[in-house]
Amino acid sequence: MFTSVIIPAAGFGERMGATIGKQFLLLQDKPILVHTLERFQQSGDIDEIIVATQASSFGIIDGFREQYGLTKLRPPVEGGARRQDSIARALEHLHADAEIVLVHDAVRPFVHLREISQSIDTARHFGASIVAVRAKDTMKLASTDGRVERTLNRSSLWSVQTPQTFRRRIIMDAYAHAATHDIAATDDSFLAEQIGILPIIVEGSYENIKITTPDDLLLAELLSKRFIP
Ligand code: CTP
Ligand code: MG
């Protein structure tokens, strides 16, 4: 089955506070985005990679294709104001034959090949899958003024990562429904839930961090020294 991965990489990295988007910061002398792209280039399950980024970065992305031998990388697509808008635009550029679509954050370079393949297998069978890890901390539900209302049952709580993977028809319908009903989400599977699709969890690893704040960059430096895809 022809399988496409969309990599949203059009953010400005405000929480990182660097002078360039965090996806372009170097990790072991290579941009974080390149590490991420290499995971999907290596995966035998992926046929094309579509990056959504700012138009001013198109030249950089095209350069990555040559420099790092990323043969699966398609021409970049211009991102939008929100992550969701960037993905919506990339969806318009899927290969005609694409049947399975993954979405994976540009700033999660420590995804394992096993997570990619299991998320694809699971989405093929059940329609939608998300990679997630068991919550480590006890979670409380609180009111907006910080008063604890109750303690949640940790054994049923998961921290959600990417990839999030869908049959093409499901992600197209989910995004179309979100557009017409003005639903916003930082999580693609939430949009699928809104059309009645309940994704299946693929248990991932705690290494698959989203590099968000400067302390994540320190952790990423450490992880990159021992990471095995
Ligand atoms: N992203 C995107 N288009 C946007 C916003 C975000 O493609 N308009 C991408 C980011 O580049 C990143 C992923 O979505 O790969 C996850 O988003 P996040 O971690 O929030 O990145 P930023 O939006 O760049 O960071 P911040 O929210 O701190 O500004
Ligand atoms: Mg953001």
Side-chain angles (χ1 to χ4, degrees):
M1 269 190 194
F2 194 100
T3 302
S4 307
V5 59
I6 291 172
I7 310 279
F12 289 93
E14 279 170 23
R15 287 169 286 178
M16 184 62 74
T19 50
I20 55 171
K22 59 189 179 176
Q23 58 275 32
F24 298 110
L25 294 175
L26 299 184
L27 198 60
Q28 307 279 319
D29 300 325
K30 225 188 268 180
I32 289 171
L33 172 59
V34 172
H35 288 276
T36 305
L37 295 173
E38 286 180 338
R39 297 287 94 76
F40 292 94
Q41 177 71 34
Q42 278 165 16
S43 165
D45 303 306
I46 298 292
D47 296 296
E48 68 167 352
I49 305 171
I50 303 175
V51 172
T53 192
Q54 291 145 32
S56 57
S57 303
F58 280 9
I60 297 173
I61 304 292
D62 287 327
F64 289 165
R65 184 185 303 108
E66 306 306 320
Q67 190 177 351
Y68 298 101
L70 301 169
T71 54
K72 298 177 186 174
L73 190 56
R74 314 290 306 168
V77 169
E78 188 169 4
R82 301 169 301 171
R83 179 183 183 279
Q84 178 178 346
D85 303 317
S86 297
I87 293 162
R89 289 192 180 170
L91 286 172
E92 295 170 11
H93 294 266
L94 288 175
H95 191 285
D97 296 338
E99 290 185 67
I100 297 288
V101 180
L102 293 78
V103 178
H104 184 75
D105 293 320
V107 289
R108 288 188 193 270
F110 304 115
V111 59
H112 291 100
L113 296 173
R114 173 193 71 80
E115 290 152 358
I116 296 171
S117 61
Q118 285 188 4
S119 74
I120 292 169
D121 287 345
T122 306
R124 271 188 196 158
H125 284 101
F126 299 101
S129 73
I130 57 176
V131 174
V133 288
R134 293 178 186 279
K136 286 186 189 179
D137 296 319
T138 296
M139 303 285 218
K140 306 261 182 190
L141 193 73
S143 60
T144 44
D145 60 355
R147 190 177 298 271
V148 171
E149 288 172 351
R150 63 193 174 93
T151 300
L152 301 172
N153 179 9
R154 195 179 64 200
S155 63
S156 56
L157 292 173
W158 295 80
S159 295
V160 174
Q161 306 171 338
T162 65
Q164 301 200 352
T165 305
F166 309 88
R167 286 196 206 122
R168 181 187 188 140
R169 179 45 46 208
I170 289 176
I171 191 169
M172 298 306 283
D173 288 353
Y175 268 77
H177 180 264
T180 51
H181 293 79
D182 208 18
I183 302 169
T186 54
D187 178 64
D188 311 290
S189 61
F190 177 78
L191 302 182
E193 289 160 36
Q194 300 313 301
I195 58 164
I197 304 290
L198 298 180
I200 304 291
I201 290 176
V202 171
E203 187 160 8
S205 98
Y206 294 108
E207 288 181 302
N208 186 19
I209 61 166
K210 181 163 74 71
I211 300 173
T212 306
T213 51
D215 53 312
D216 293 324
L217 212 51
L218 287 175
L219 184 56
E221 287 290 349
L222 289 174
L223 287 171
S224 63
K225 293 199 174 93
R226 53 152 243 205
F227 181 74
I228 300 166

